[in-house]
């Protein structure tokens, strides 16, 4: 049974690109074995991630992310059973939110800034869908 989880969290050490690199490296090494796909979006102080895969695998990975000291204030935005993957091409795609333009942010939010903790999960997911459509996912992963 497939599920999709969307969560947001705050970076413990803001603007640390070595943290982004090590998380992506870990994800791309482990996710294929777990059958997990998705995308990881980051800005200086924020993570937004979609995890898709089997319910057990997604829940176990989410639990280890909550315990991971590199982020905090981890909040589930949505969790749903799905019939097919939306991010199947990515072992863990990567989006630098600093590169997303104001117009796109305004399309889905009240202001040209991303606040997934307060905005609707629907709007955040719609933005992520559009990032894929506009090729702003900069790396497909393995
Ligand atoms: C924001 C964030 C996203 C992460 N995403 C993944 C991921 O997609 N896959 C993964 O294997 N680890 C990911 N990690 C790392 C895990 O939290 C954890 O360090 C890793 O799975 C090893 O866990 P273990 O030491 O309990 O085996 C992420 C960590 C953070 C902070």
């Amino acid at each position: 049974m497939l599920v999709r989880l969307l969560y947001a969290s705050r970076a413990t050490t803001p603007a640390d690109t070595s943290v982004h690199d090590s998380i992506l490296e870990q994800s791309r090494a482990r996710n294929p074995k777990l059958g997990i796909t998705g995308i990881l979006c980051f800005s200086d102080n924020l993570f937004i991630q979609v995890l898709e895969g089997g319910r057990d695998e997604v829940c176990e990975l989410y639990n280890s992310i909550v315990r991971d000291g590199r982020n905090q204030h981890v909040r589930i935005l949505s969790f749903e059973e799905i019939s097919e993957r939306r991010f199947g091409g990515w072992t863990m795609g990567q989006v630098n939110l600093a590169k997303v333009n104001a117009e796109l942010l305004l399309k889905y939010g009240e202001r040209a800034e991303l606040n997934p903790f307060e905005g609707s999960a629907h709007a955040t997911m719609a933005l992520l869908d559009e990032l894929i459509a506009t090729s702003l996912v900069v790396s497909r992963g393995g």
Side-chain angles (χ1 to χ4, degrees), residues 9-17 19-20 23 40-49 70 94-100 105 113-117:
S9 65
R10 297 212 181 280
T12 311
T13 317
D16 190 340
T17 51
V19 165
H20 301 156
I23 291 172
L40 177 66
C41 309
F42 53 81
S43 64
D44 280 356
N45 57 6
L46 183 72
F47 293 108
I48 302 174
Q49 191 174 30
R70 292 172 292 187
Q94 170 191 355
V95 179
N96 184 346
L97 293 170
K99 300 216 165 107
V100 177
L105 294 173
E113 61 197 38
L114 200 52
N115 187 349
F117 300 105

Side-chain angles (χ1 to χ4, degrees), residues 7 23 26-27 30-31 49 61 64-65 68 70 92:
Y7 75 85
I23 291 172
Q26 255 179 327
S27 305
R30 289 187 70 216
N31 291 357
Q49 191 174 30
L61 177 57
S64 62
I65 291 170
D68 193 315
R70 292 172 292 187
M92 194 44 65

Side-chain angles (χ1 to χ4, degrees), residues 81-115:
E81 198 175 315
I82 54 172
S83 52
E84 60 187 68
R85 293 175 195 253
R86 204 180 281 169
F87 302 91
W90 285 271
T91 60
M92 194 44 65
Q94 170 191 355
V95 179
N96 184 346
L97 293 170
K99 300 216 165 107
V100 177
N101 68 39
E103 189 183 338
L104 194 52
L105 294 173
L106 278 172
K107 182 170 174 185
Y108 295 104
E110 291 175 24
R111 291 173 201 282
E113 61 197 38
L114 200 52
N115 187 349

